Amino acid sequence: MKIKAQMAMVMNLDKCLGCHTCSIPCKHVWTDRKGAEYMWFNNVETKPGIGYPKKWENQEIRKGGWHLQDGELQLRAGGRLKKFVGIFHNPDLPDLDDYYEPWTYDYEKLTSCPPSQHQPTARPRSLITGQNTEINWGPNWEDDLAGVHETGLDDVNFAGMEKEIYLKFKKVFMFYLPRICEHCLNPACVASCPSGALYKREEDGIVLVDQERCRGWRYCVSGCPYKKVYFNWSEGRAEKCILCYPRIESGQPTLCAQSCVGRIRYLGILLYDADRIKQAASVLDDQGIYKAHIETLLNPNDPEIICEALDQGVPKNFVVAAQRSPVYKLAVEWKLAFPPHPEFRTLPMVWYVPPLSPLIQGVENQDTDVEKNDFMRIPFRYLANLLTAGDESPIRFALKKLIKLRKFMRSTRVSDKPDYKSLEEVEMTEVVAKEMYRLLAIAKYEDRFVIPTTARQETEDMYQGRGRLGFPAKSLRPAE
Ligand code: SF4
Ligand code: SF4
């Protein structure tokens, strides 16, 4: 057993407002410079939809992630030889139109134009060419279902469903899906890079691009099935979400998590067995991967695991933080959070609590709450295609737990007659229900973010290591 620690995130989709407040601080801090205009390390998509870049989930087109070939785990885009032969032409890359052509406006025209009969306008101007441009796609184009009756037809999460029905006005459903890099346990971006420029940090599993080694081959961009590595066209290097590691190291949450208005984000440490990764990613049946993934995560309260982790050099403050980790509780203990598209076999480490949704008309007043989740507006099948490779049962159980939790809390708060029967049906105790309620509904800062500090600055010269740590390479820095 090889024990390692991983910083992980859970997002509670039930509470995401789609306000995009998370994306803005991220944009301003990490991608606010030339060549990075079109990048959103954090973006929020409306589901159903094809997202940003277009059709990122469709690996028939994008060829990202891993698959099993003759029982062996292989990169879907092909191995080293295939990459070497085609190193100057990578046909699987999304192009700028799939992301969007970034633009700005001539704001000055609004204030400097002379008085006239008509209101002044500022035309959109491309940030790439500087010319006037037409806007016809963006990172948030399908916001609140805009145009989804057309684009939604290409949403792969409708697999096995009558998608046309769910895109009709009366049947349509929606929720928001915020996305960052998954900092996967089995990252396809790292395995795809011919220069070995991407790597997973030893101490906390954050995946970074070494800017000094990156040669701009862009295989990481196509290799990542979540399309969370981007190519900086100005610097000729790859860039990606760094999970705000300078903040994490000092015990602070990422900017997206800190600023999240809905308080949907949770950050915590997980301990995992690195020796089990290959086995978990190679499970034959796509639907078995989620279970195997959970089994790679270790119980931080088990005395044997604690001893072994400390012996293997996991810092004590990491082990203590893992015991209080909200991510461990939500993903492993309570099984409320799920990894997106486990069938991509990268073992993602940003998990989602599926959203509850209004009941379809006619069932609201019936007292059939046990099966009420069968009548939710968001179909199980859709959520299962997104989160559990199509296996509906874990999603059903998680949503049922959330419904029973609501029912129980309402019975204690409103009628003062605690409904213990509801809890029994989902094998939950009152103590767990109250803890769950505190974590999900009250979501206090200190419960949401349990982040151990790392004192790297005391052992290394961080200034010298900037390129390795994802900041601009030496050759691109202004003279010092
Ligand atoms: S989600 Fe992040 S870690 Fe996973 S493959 Fe993509 S870029 Fe790599
Ligand atoms: S800030 Fe939070 S609530 Fe708002 S869109 Fe981002 S994740 Fe959702």
Side-chain angles (χ1 to χ4, degrees), residues 87-216:
I87 202 153
F88 294 108
H89 173 62
N90 179 354
D92 308 324
L93 274 178
D95 57 32
L96 194 59
D97 287 342
D98 291 327
Y99 292 98
Y100 74 111
E101 185 165 348
W103 72 88
T104 185
Y105 297 94
D106 255 331
Y107 292 106
E108 210 197 314
K109 282 215 166 119
L110 299 177
T111 51
S112 61
C113 76
S116 71
Q117 257 191 330
H118 303 289
Q119 204 171 338
T121 56
R123 292 186 64 180
R125 186 162 45 78
S126 166
L127 278 169
I128 309 273
T129 63
Q131 306 298 313
N132 288 340
T133 186
E134 295 277 316
I135 302 173
N136 48 30
W137 187 257
N140 183 27
W141 198 254
E142 294 159 314
D143 198 24
D144 292 354
L145 297 178
V148 80
H149 55 287
E150 285 182 16
T151 56
L153 293 169
D154 288 323
D155 183 335
V156 293
N157 297 306
F158 280 119
M161 297 167 66
E162 292 279 345
K163 59 184 144 193
E164 284 83 2
I165 294 182
Y166 290 106
L167 293 172
K168 293 229 160 61
F169 180 68
K170 279 193 171 173
K171 287 261 190 186
V172 81
F173 62 89
M174 63 163 274
F175 60 94
Y176 301 107
L177 184 74
R179 299 206 300 119
I180 64 168
C181 162
E182 299 285 334
H183 300 280
C184 311
L185 289 186
N186 183 34
C189 58
V190 174
S192 301
C193 176
S195 317
L198 282 105
Y199 66 102
K200 193 163 172 65
R201 288 214 307 188
E202 187 73 17
E203 63 269 44
D204 53 16
I206 293 175
V207 176
L208 297 175
V209 186
D210 180 341
Q211 297 283 302
E212 310 280 358
R213 291 185 79 164
C214 177
R215 294 287 169 269

Side-chain angles (χ1 to χ4, degrees), residues 15-22 44 178 259-262 264-265:
K15 298 204 295 178
C16 181
L17 311 162
C19 63
H20 304 269
T21 315
C22 44
V44 185
S259 58
C260 174
V261 174
I264 77 158
R265 299 189 186 224

